[in-house]
């Protein structure tokens, strides 16, 4: 058995104020489990994305999240849970006034290829992106695959 306290797991840099990778801390091999806190306007994800091989569930504990989905925007309130199929496009953003507390569960743990799309000002449209560690080692950067512009930096 493994046991952890959520607050003891170090938060990862990224688009969310707090992301604690609980599955990693627990040594889980087949499931991903992350604890999130999102300030107003923040997202779980770097962009509109899909995981090739991983289904993903979001348990919204507090606040309200609007998911951009293939069927349009879906508001998900505290006390609700949503699930996305492998290969299904989505992005959840805190659109309520309050801080969001939520858990994301993914299985299998290895997501396969993840495609990410973000708005690129230079291209004038939403384009495929890559997210990688910054060259200077400080956080991560999102870069447009069409024009190479950096459209976001996360520390
Ligand atoms: Zn671009």
């Amino acid at each position: 058995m493994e046991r952890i306290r959520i607050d003891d797991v170090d938060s990862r840099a990224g688009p969310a104020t707090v992301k604690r990778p609980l599955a990693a801390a627990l040594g889980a091999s087949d499931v991903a489990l992350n604890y999130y806190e999102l300030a107003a306007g923040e997202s779980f994800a770097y962009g509109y994305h899909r995981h090739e091989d991983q289904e993903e569930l979001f348990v919204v504990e507090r606040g309200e999240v609007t998911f951009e989905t293939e069927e349009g925007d879906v508001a998900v309130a505290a006390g609700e849970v949503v699930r996305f199929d492998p290969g299904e496009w989505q992005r959840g953003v805190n659109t309520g006034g309050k801080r969001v507390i939520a858990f994301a569960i993914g299985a299998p743990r290895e997501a396969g290829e993840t495609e990410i799309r973000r708005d690129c000002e230079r291209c004038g449209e939403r384009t495929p992106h890559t997210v990688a560690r910054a060259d200077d080692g400080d956080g991560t950067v999102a870069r447009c695959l069409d024009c190479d512009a950096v459209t976001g930096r996360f520390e």
Side-chain angles (χ1 to χ4, degrees), residues 3-66:
R3 176 166 61 175
I4 55 166
R5 181 176 296 278
I6 292 170
D7 286 349
D8 289 344
V9 178
D10 287 342
S11 181
R12 286 258 176 88
T17 293
V18 176
K19 175 187 180 181
R20 302 189 195 280
L22 306 184
L26 288 162
S29 55
D30 296 335
V31 64
L33 174 63
N34 294 301
Y35 168 87
Y36 284 96
E37 293 181 21
L38 306 181
E42 285 184 345
S43 177
F44 300 111
Y46 289 100
Y48 192 52
H49 71 285
R50 64 179 179 183
H51 302 295
E52 183 181 27
D53 296 329
Q54 186 188 63
E55 65 180 337
E56 209 166 11
L57 288 70
F58 293 89
V59 182
V60 180
E61 187 71 21
R62 189 184 300 171
E64 183 178 286
V65 177
T66 298

Side-chain angles (χ1 to χ4, degrees), residues 24-152:
L26 288 162
S29 55
D30 296 335
V31 64
L33 174 63
N34 294 301
Y35 168 87
Y36 284 96
E37 293 181 21
L38 306 181
E42 285 184 345
S43 177
F44 300 111
Y46 289 100
Y48 192 52
H49 71 285
R50 64 179 179 183
H51 302 295
E52 183 181 27
D53 296 329
Q54 186 188 63
E55 65 180 337
E56 209 166 11
L57 288 70
F58 293 89
V59 182
V60 180
E61 187 71 21
R62 189 184 300 171
E64 183 178 286
V65 177
T66 298
F67 284 89
E68 181 183 356
T69 75
E70 295 177 23
E71 287 90 42
D73 289 350
V74 178
V76 179
E80 295 184 315
V81 187
V82 290
R83 174 188 168 273
F84 295 96
D85 274 329
E88 195 175 351
W89 289 93
Q90 53 93 2
R91 183 190 198 192
V93 175
N94 177 359
T95 51
K98 283 191 291 191
R99 192 178 187 87
V100 160
I101 293 179
F103 293 85
I105 301 162
R109 186 149 173 224
E110 295 304 321
E113 191 193 347
T114 295
E115 291 177 78
I116 302 170
R117 292 184 186 159
R118 293 170 53 89
D119 292 331
C120 176
E121 210 170 292
R122 191 186 291 173
C123 289
E125 61 183 335
R126 184 179 272 180
T127 59
H129 272 65
T130 180
V131 172
R133 181 166 284 278
D135 291 338
D136 54 17
D138 218 12
T140 52
V141 291
R143 195 180 290 274
C144 174
L145 287 170
D146 288 353
C147 77
D148 214 35
V150 170
T151 64

